[in-house]
Structure formats: C-alpha cells, structure tokens
Amino acid sequence: MTESIPVLDFGSQTAQLIVRRLRELGIYSELLPHDVDEATVRALNPRGLILSGGAASVYDPGAPTLPKWIETSTLPTLGICYGMHLISHTLGGKVEQATVREFGAATIELTNGGALFADTPAAQRVWMSHGDSLIELPPGFHATAQSSDTPFVAMANDERRWYGVQFHPEVVHTNYGKNLLSNFVTISGIARDWQPANFVAQAVERVRDQVGDGRVICALSGGVDSAVAALIIHQAIGERLTCVFVDNGLLRLGEAEQVLATFREHLHIPLIAVNAAEEFLSALDGVSDPERKRKIIGEKFIRIFEHEARNLDGAHFLAQGTLYPDVIESSAPDRKKGVTIKTHHNVGGLPADMQMQLVEPLRYMFKDEVRAAGLELGLPEEWVWRHPFPGPGLAVRLLGPISWERLETLRKADAIFLGELRNAGLYRATQQAFAVLLPVQSVGVMGDGRTYADTIALRAITTEDYMTADWAQLPYELLGRISNRIVNEVPGVNRVVYDISSKPPATIEWE
C-alpha cells in the first residue's frame, strides 16, 4: 500500500499547497479535517503528519484543538504557523498576540537549524502571515530559527521528531520552503514513489466504488478539468456515462462550436448539447452582484442536468471537473474552518435541494496535476493546455448588469486579446489571460469628436498552482497592438487598461 504524509486542515488558504508540494516531492498526501479520527489517518499508511496554518488563535474560545491521539503519536510531525502554535499550546508552551504582526516577506536566521533546515543557508527569506507569536517553548523543544521581531520562528524536538515553523514553507515566496519540506520527508523515512499516473488508477477505483452500477451525467465545459473527469469516469463505468454540454450564452466567441467539434473528434463519449442561452440570460437580467450571478448560474446548470438525467433512465450522479482551488475559495462543507473568498458556481453555488449526487474525481487536485493526468489519458495537447475558463463564463468577466450587447462587446475584445497572444507565441507562457468589461465609461476623442464609452481591462497571469499568481509582463509593443485593435474594432470601447495585480491580494478573476 502507498505510504503517505497526510495534512490536517486547520483552515489555511494555502493548506492544499502543502499537499501539492509533497506530491511534487513524490509523496502521496491528502488534506484531512483537523478533527479527523485516528483510524482514517492510519488507513492512509502514514509515515508523518503535517498540521496546517489557520485563521484562528489557539487561545480563542472554540479554536480548533489538537486531536488527543496525536498528542501521544510516534509519527514525525511538522506544525506550520497555527500548527506550530497548537503544538506549543497543547504541550505546555505559551502563545500570545504578537507585539509586531508579520505579514509578507521576512528574513530569518538559523540559531540551531538541525535536520529540518539541513543544507539551507543561515539567513533566508520566508513568507509570514501571523498575528500571534510563540513566547515560551514547550518542554523538550529548542529554538532553531529567529527573526528580528520573533525569537521563536522555528522549534524542534529532535528525539520525538516534532517540529514547528512560524512561516509558510508551502508558498513559493519562501525561498527554501521546498527544501524544508523535503528534509521533513527524509526525516519521515518515506519512499518518494508517488506520480500523477498513480492518481488516475486511484481515481478510477474511487469512481467505481462510489457509483456502483449507476449512471452518471458529466457536466462538460470544454476545459481540461471536465474532460479529464469524463475520461476517468468513462474508464470506470464505460457507457453508463453521458456528457452534457450547456451553451448558456456566456461563452467566448465561437467556443460552443469548437468544444463540440473537438469533443466528438477525440473523446468518443456520448454527448448531449443543450442550448439554454435565453434561459440563463433571462434569469441574469439586471443582476450585478457577483455572488448572485454565481448562485443563479449554479442553480440553472443543476436544473438542466436534472432534466437531462430524467431522460437517461434516471442517472443519479452528476460529475464535475471541480478542482481544489474552487473548494478552498468557496469554503466547501468539507472544509469546516475555511474562509469564503468567493462562491464558485460548482461548489458553494449549488442549490441545497439538488437531487443528484456529486462525483468529483479531481476535487483535491491542482491544475498542473490534472494536465499531467490529461496527457496520461491521451487528451490532445491543445485541449490539455487551454487556459481555464470559469464555469459562470463571461458573467463574471462582465462587471455590472448583463445584457446581450455587453456580452458581444466583451466577446470581441477577448477574442482579439487571445488571438494576439497566440500570434506572439505567448499563449503557453501565460497560464490564464482574458478581457474584462468594466462598469466604467470615460471620455475619449475619436475622429475629432468626443466619445463617452466603455473600458476593457486585460488580465494575464503566470502561476504554478493558481493559488498564488503574478501578472504577466507582456511586451509593451504587444499590449499597444492589442489596445489599438480593440479600440478600433470593438464598437463602444475607447479605453483599454492592463491589470498588474498579483494573487494575493487580488484573485485571478475579477469576480
């Protein structure tokens, strides 16, 4: 059986990044609730444990506590941020509100680094995000690093193989974070033998166990996520899978035709196409609030899938290509301590009275892992490397009230942007790029006359995991050409701006 290092989730927005980093190191890992029972963890054949960060303070009433069975566990354990505070608080140390809070980049100095910091420099840049600090170590622990504001940035009990760090080694801004996690893997003595290909076989078995002899409808969007989900489920249950593609009127220019042609050519799975543009646009008429948009769209999708299921001999399962970033940002029911950043239509936007049971084989996967699985399953590269497109479509890229005229404006601008990126050979160099129609008009001059017209924002990002992202530094000449084409070719637009915000503090999408 595969060995693992599970991660206990105390509510950090980057908790799943810990799982991702372990998988990059060849270690199988899953994110489990912070109050998980010992039997569930033992079923994963653990060789170590990691306790994630979280938004709570250990001294708050109702704050998550350390499960009793872990207190006496012999497993090597690493506490990150809140996880470090929790170890300290539970074992007799002292945690208080910090005199100086630390958020963002900081420099730490090793005082007695030991095995966890092996082969890393004495001074290193890390990413902090905490309002509390450890002011007294628990018995048996010694300090291994400090910062100018925090005397106990890291601690260790080498005999027990228990460690704590105040910073977040899972984020890319911690320069030697992956080295630190790799050292913890070495300390745990686990074989580094997990690969994305293993995931496909495991996912197929999980689908078989869940579905049994039932029928499944798969919500096909045209992106790599839903396509990989469909292929995994098809391997598991064969012809008992039917894919449904819904044209909701919120797609990019020519997208419906492209998706249907590509799907039928490459996947060879039964497909139903539903044109529901009028139904969606009628329900969204006059709606500006992004959370309402997502919930309306989520419910409309479900009602269509339920209708199609009744025509398919009662398919009781609905498959989605949900990824873990969606789950984290939506604070799904299985993440009790998560904070809602925005409701994704396919997670928190689902109606409470939904009649179908969800099948989500990619629920705890990141985009790069899904792409690796897609290549393993034989998807064409142009499909595997398509930029993500949100389930609510252009509804969340058109800020303010939705109308067919505004959608057409956005579609044309977006097509120009993506077309120029491809022509410049930069489509693959960016991981997501799109246009946004702002609810802002401004004065301009066109043909010696005054205009008062719409503004288009361009967004292009680079990222490894979609949990953090930076803006793509596209050539000025390219941006100028795109702006010129949009203003000249898209009626009603006289201004183009470029978004240079990172994630965090912004999200990738605007809504």
Side-chain angles (χ1 to χ4, degrees):
M1 180 181 176
T2 302
E3 295 177 330
S4 73
I5 297 180
V7 177
L8 300 198
D9 180 13
F10 289 90
S12 170
Q13 294 297 327
T14 58
Q16 183 64 10
L17 281 182
I18 310 169
V19 173
R20 170 186 159 80
R21 300 300 176 224
L22 291 171
R23 291 182 184 179
E24 288 174 350
L25 293 167
I27 305 302
Y28 185 70
S29 181
E30 287 188 15
L31 190 67
L32 302 175
H34 73 275
D35 54 358
V36 65
D37 61 90
E38 183 175 7
T40 300
V41 176
R42 294 294 178 188
L44 293 175
N45 198 16
R47 295 297 300 272
L49 279 177
I50 295 182
L51 314 178
S52 85
S57 295
V58 291
Y59 45 77
D60 284 346
T65 58
L66 194 68
K68 288 291 183 184
W69 66 267
I70 295 181
E71 292 184 38
T72 56
S73 167
T74 59
L75 290 171
T77 299
L78 171 63
I80 295 174
C81 200
Y82 183 86
M84 174 183 174
H85 294 166
L86 192 57
I87 290 173
S88 303
H89 182 70
T90 304
L91 301 183
K94 191 173 182 181
V95 178
E96 288 186 353
Q97 186 173 1
T99 305
V100 179
R101 300 184 302 170
E102 292 180 300
F103 294 96
T107 299
I108 66 168
E109 295 181 358
L110 304 186
T111 55
N112 182 13
L116 193 67
F117 289 93
D119 300 319
T120 65
Q124 48 194 272
R125 296 284 280 179
V126 301
W127 190 260
M128 297 281 197
S129 184
H130 67 100
D132 295 337
S133 289
L134 175 63
I135 63 168
E136 186 176 317
L137 292 169
F141 285 78
H142 64 271
T144 55
Q146 64 183 14
S147 72
S148 58
D149 296 313
T150 307
F152 305 128
V153 166
M155 66 180 190
N157 181 328
D158 295 314
E159 183 177 353
R160 192 174 180 182
R161 295 186 296 173
W162 276 42
Y163 307 89
V165 293
Q166 180 68 80
F167 54 91
H168 289 268
E170 69 271 24
V171 303
V172 295
H173 311 290
T174 295
N175 291 350
Y176 295 90
K178 196 167 182 179
N179 304 68
L180 185 150
L181 291 172
S182 179
N183 287 336
F184 182 70
V185 167
T186 300
I187 291 166
S188 301
I190 184 173
R192 304 179 188 227
D193 58 4
W194 188 85
Q195 299 294 332
N198 305 139
F199 164 76
V200 173
Q202 292 168 353
V204 167
E205 288 304 313
R206 287 175 178 171
V207 170
R208 284 181 182 148
D209 290 343
Q210 180 183 1
V211 172
D213 59 358
R215 295 184 63 87
V216 178
I217 280 179
C218 181
L220 187 78
S221 69
V224 64
D225 307 332
S226 59
V228 170
L231 287 172
I232 287 173
I233 295 167
H234 192 248
Q235 280 197 14
I237 64 171
E239 295 306 308
R240 287 181 285 125
L241 167 68
T242 300
C243 291
V244 177
F245 174 76
V246 178
D247 183 351
N248 58 7
L250 304 168
L251 302 175
R252 290 172 290 199
L253 193 65
E255 183 148 34
E257 298 80 3
Q258 178 191 357
V259 168
L260 293 175
T262 305
F263 184 91
R264 287 171 172 151
E265 180 180 348
H266 291 285
L267 269 67
H268 309 299
I269 299 171
L271 173 66
I272 295 172
V274 178
N275 188 333
E278 288 189 15
E279 184 176 343
F280 276 84
L281 294 180
S282 176
L284 291 164
D285 185 38
V287 177
S288 297
D289 180 74
E291 286 291 285
R292 281 195 62 206
K293 288 179 184 177
R294 291 173 180 275
K295 290 182 182 296
I296 289 169
I297 290 166
E299 180 172 6
K300 284 293 175 188
F301 270 125
I302 293 302
R303 299 310 174 214
I304 290 171
F305 296 136
E306 288 174 344
H307 173 77
E308 295 300 328
R310 289 192 288 272
N311 297 328
L312 288 170
D313 194 24
H316 300 301
F317 295 91
L318 172 64
Q320 299 187 133
T322 305
L323 301 190
Y324 205 74
D326 303 342
V327 178
I328 291 172
E329 292 184 337
S330 294
S331 186
D334 55 349
R335 294 197 79 239
K336 302 177 210 175
K337 294 298 175 183
V339 176
T340 299
I341 303 302
K342 58 185 177 184
T343 299
H344 287 259
H345 81 288
N346 57 333
V347 187
L350 299 176
D353 62 347
M354 186 177 78
Q355 301 300 307
M356 306 180 75
Q357 182 178 338
L358 288 177
V359 179
E360 297 176 316
L362 313 179
R363 186 176 181 82
Y364 294 101
M365 298 291 285
F366 283 94
K367 180 69 73 173
D368 63 317
E369 295 176 316
V370 173
R371 284 182 168 138
L375 293 172
E376 179 76 17
L377 289 163
L379 271 180
E381 285 209 5
E382 63 269 21
W383 198 325
V384 168
W385 292 104
R386 284 191 75 196
H387 285 187
F389 186 60
L394 298 181
V396 292
R397 293 179 178 175
L398 192 160
L399 278 58
I402 294 172
S403 69
W404 184 255
E405 292 74 20
R406 297 189 78 217
L407 283 167
E408 286 293 280
T409 296
L410 180 55
R411 266 190 267 271
K412 293 171 184 174
D414 189 73
I416 290 171
F417 185 23
L418 295 182
E420 288 290 346
L421 270 183
R422 287 189 175 94
N423 291 340
L426 293 174
Y427 183 80
R428 283 278 297 272
T430 58
Q431 281 67 60
Q432 196 163 348
F434 53 91
V436 179
L437 179 57
L438 304 184
V440 173
Q441 291 188 315
S442 63
V443 173
V445 178
M446 300 176 77
D448 294 326
R450 179 186 186 274
T451 63
Y452 194 65
D454 288 328
T455 302
I456 288 286
L458 305 177
R459 176 77 157 145
I461 58 97
T462 59
T463 181
E464 292 183 359
D465 47 48
Y466 292 85
M467 288 303 300
T468 61
D470 202 357
W471 59 280
Q473 299 186 34
L474 299 179
Y476 292 157
E477 182 181 354
L478 174 62
L479 289 172
R481 185 164 62 250
I482 294 167
S483 175
N484 188 59
R485 283 195 60 196
I486 289 174
V487 170
N488 286 336
E489 298 176 30
V490 182
V493 175
N494 69 354
R495 191 177 299 271
V496 176
V497 298
Y498 188 53
D499 182 349
I500 58 170
S501 307
S502 63
K503 176 188 179 181
T507 54
I508 294 173
E509 297 284 349
W510 276 52
E511 289 190 341

